[in-house]
Amino acid sequence: PGEKPAWVRDVKALAFIVPRAMAMAGDPWSTVDIPIYSYQVVYPDHTAMIDTAMPRVNAIPEFMVRSYDDQAYARVQQAMDQTQLIVITHEHGDHIGGVAYHPNLKALFPKLRITDTQVAHPERMFPGKWPEHALDGYQPLHYEGYHAVAPGMVLVQATGHTPGSQLVYVKLADGKELLFIGDALWRMRNIEQQGERPRWTTAMVREDRHAVFGQVRAFHALMQSEPGVKIIPGHDAGVIDALTQAGYLQSGFALAP
């Protein structure tokens, strides 16, 4: 219960570069950018966050990095300090790393809604990692199926890409609907063409290929039956640009001085 959010804002902190063949089976070996986003859900009197990007860490090979925006990442860190709620689509480092490397992590505990499954799989955070004893005393979120985490925000379990993968559904006060699917699929092309990542990619990230194929079909069907629900894959700049132009998203975080 409560007043729904007015809008959602995004920040791109960094971008990787990978072969298209890594993102969808059968695609060519030319490269494509994989931007890393964090989202701010803006309520009348507070904010929530979806994903937190990650800092520059030595484990990321330089040849995979297209760009890194230190100022943008600093805004993500500042937004975490000011927000009232943080949820993570899954436990990979480029989504949860902003939390893991926050300089005052324990101060974030009251606003963190990291799930028990996400906490239980720190090995999936590579190239990021939790500092030793970082989560001592933290009580993770447990739910089954669906969880209304805030007015207009619902978490949906979606094990597949990782054990702790979940969707984040957001309904704005004006009725607009957004579905953040994390890395269930990286790009909209996967949904439109109903294509998964190649087997070598799924083996590398250790995802449940059968589960992800089911999600591909479900997202494709949702696009046909509910075109008003805008699906946001984990790393697709074209989708972000289109939704910004359509008024579903706004660029840049709203931060207090």
Side-chain angles (χ1 to χ4, degrees):
E3 195 167 354
K4 291 182 174 60
W7 61 83
V8 176
R9 309 184 72 96
D10 65 85
V11 161
K12 183 181 80 171
L14 67 155
F16 295 147
I17 181 170
V18 303
R20 294 177 188 272
M22 182 179 183
M24 188 168 118
D27 272 4
W29 284 89
S30 57
T31 57
V32 63
D33 285 4
I34 299 293
I36 312 301
Y37 293 100
S38 178
Y39 300 96
Q40 183 187 57
V41 184
V42 182
Y43 288 83
D45 59 353
H46 68 280
T47 64
M49 290 181 67
I50 303 170
D51 288 341
T52 59
M54 71 181 301
R56 189 192 301 267
V57 296
N58 293 334
I60 304 175
E62 283 298 321
F63 70 86
M64 288 185 59
V65 179
R66 167 71 78 184
S67 62
Y68 191 90
D69 188 334
D70 291 297
Q71 292 184 343
Y73 182 70
R75 290 194 290 274
V76 173
Q77 291 278 298
Q78 187 179 356
M80 282 193 281
D81 291 334
Q82 296 180 8
T83 196
Q84 279 70 53
L85 172 69
I86 301 171
V87 298
I88 304 295
T89 57
H90 64 292
E91 57 270 42
H92 280 162
D94 54 330
H95 296 256
I96 201 171
V99 170
Y101 289 94
H102 191 278
N104 193 8
L105 174 57
K106 291 193 184 304
L108 299 182
F109 279 9
K111 61 186 76 175
L112 281 180
R113 297 297 183 273
I114 300 175
T115 71
D116 48 3
T117 309
Q118 291 170 346
V119 169
H121 290 278
E123 77 283 355
R124 298 301 184 104
M125 285 182 60
F126 184 84
K129 64 179 182 179
W130 292 108
E132 190 173 1
H133 303 298
L135 292 178
D136 287 356
Y138 176 68
Q139 295 298 315
L141 172 68
H142 174 78
Y143 73 94
E144 296 182 6
Y146 305 86
H147 177 67
V149 71
M153 287 185 67
V154 178
L155 307 180
V156 184
Q157 285 183 325
T159 297
H161 181 63
T162 66
S165 288
Q166 60 184 358
L167 319 179
V168 184
Y169 168 83
V170 176
K171 187 170 186 177
L172 302 179
D174 64 4
K176 292 186 177 74
E177 297 174 277
L178 300 165
L179 185 63
F180 297 86
I181 68 172
D183 285 2
L185 294 162
W186 289 342
R187 307 182 71 232
M188 186 61 73
R189 175 171 167 77
N190 296 84
I191 300 173
E192 294 170 342
Q193 301 295 319
Q194 298 191 71
E196 228 280 60
R197 288 166 281 254
R199 289 187 179 275
W200 63 270
T201 302
T202 60
M204 182 176 64
V205 300
R206 293 176 289 168
E207 68 184 6
D208 183 334
R209 189 173 179 84
H210 178 75
V212 174
F213 263 121
Q215 292 164 9
V216 170
R217 291 191 295 269
F219 294 139
H220 184 81
L222 181 65
M223 286 180 62
Q224 309 303 313
S225 64
E226 300 289 343
V229 178
K230 302 304 180 183
I231 299 173
I232 302 180
H235 304 289
D236 195 323
V239 170
I240 299 302
D241 291 344
L243 290 179
T244 300
Q245 293 178 5
Y248 281 82
L249 295 172
Q250 296 187 20
S251 297
F253 281 177
L255 299 171

